[in-house]
Amino acid sequence: MKGRDIDGLIREFFEANYRQMLAEGGAHVLTPRALQQARQQVEHYWKKLRDVAVSVTETEVRLQLPNRVTTKGRRFVIEGVVDLVREQDCIRMYDIKTHYCGEVLRHRESYAAQLNVYAYIWRELRGDEVHEMAIVAVQLPEAL
């Protein structure tokens, strides 16, 4: 499929998704400018993440462990959203962030801890091990 065909499909899917979200009450009406910027953000993601995107087998996977209890008896939920790539016996987990790359590098330990929590949730829910994990930082253009 050619780049122009893909760009057209991205626009078509974006518009269909937005209309569906409006119909279901899951979105606010956006101004034309905000709608254009949202579409540009999706297009930017595609350009930056194409290699990852074409290999993703599950996207926007919601990880949630409800009814956890602290040592003081307080209830809480652990949750996150990730993308997965499954290839034979290997599971790779990606957490895509719209943060600046430098921000992720400066706080590498915090992001690593977050990925470890997500891998723990995955193991608890699915019983599978995660073999590789990564944060994918996609710095948006200044205009977005």
Side-chain angles (χ1 to χ4, degrees):
M1 193 174 261
K2 296 179 184 174
R4 288 184 185 180
D5 295 339
I6 291 172
D7 291 346
L9 282 174
I10 288 172
R11 283 190 199 95
E12 182 182 320
F13 291 150
F14 177 86
E15 290 169 14
N17 187 50
Y18 177 62
R19 283 192 304 274
Q20 182 177 353
M21 288 173 60
L22 284 175
E24 294 174 354
H28 299 288
V29 175
L30 298 176
T31 65
R33 178 162 168 67
L35 195 58
Q36 177 188 18
Q37 287 178 323
R39 188 180 35 55
Q40 287 173 335
Q41 183 174 349
V42 170
E43 291 167 350
H44 176 74
Y45 276 15
W46 172 251
K47 288 174 188 163
K48 291 289 186 179
L49 299 177
R50 180 186 171 124
D51 292 340
V52 172
V54 296
S55 64
V56 168
T57 53
E58 294 180 61
T59 185
E60 296 291 316
V61 177
R62 185 177 232 20
L63 301 174
Q64 188 176 61
L65 278 181
N67 300 318
R68 301 288 118 171
V69 181
T70 68
T71 54
K72 294 185 177 182
R74 294 187 197 139
R75 295 197 171 281
F76 66 97
V77 175
I78 304 172
E79 63 182 6
V81 178
V82 297
D83 294 320
L84 297 171
V85 174
R86 290 179 189 250
E87 293 176 333
Q88 292 137 351
D89 294 332
C90 180
I91 297 175
R92 285 194 308 269
M93 181 181 289
Y94 294 100
D95 189 10
I96 299 171
K97 305 285 190 187
T98 56
H99 304 169
Y100 294 106
C101 299
E103 180 73 13
V104 172
L105 290 172
R106 278 193 299 281
H107 301 285
R108 188 177 304 196
E109 297 80 22
S110 297
Y111 288 102
Q114 183 181 23
L115 287 174
N116 284 326
V117 168
Y118 291 166
Y120 169 78
I121 297 171
W122 178 263
R123 192 171 45 252
E124 289 290 307
L125 293 176
R126 308 275 178 109
D128 293 331
E129 293 294 322
V130 175
H131 301 93
E132 298 173 9
M133 301 178 288
I135 297 288
V136 178
V138 181
Q139 184 173 335
L140 295 175
E142 189 89 16
L144 295 177

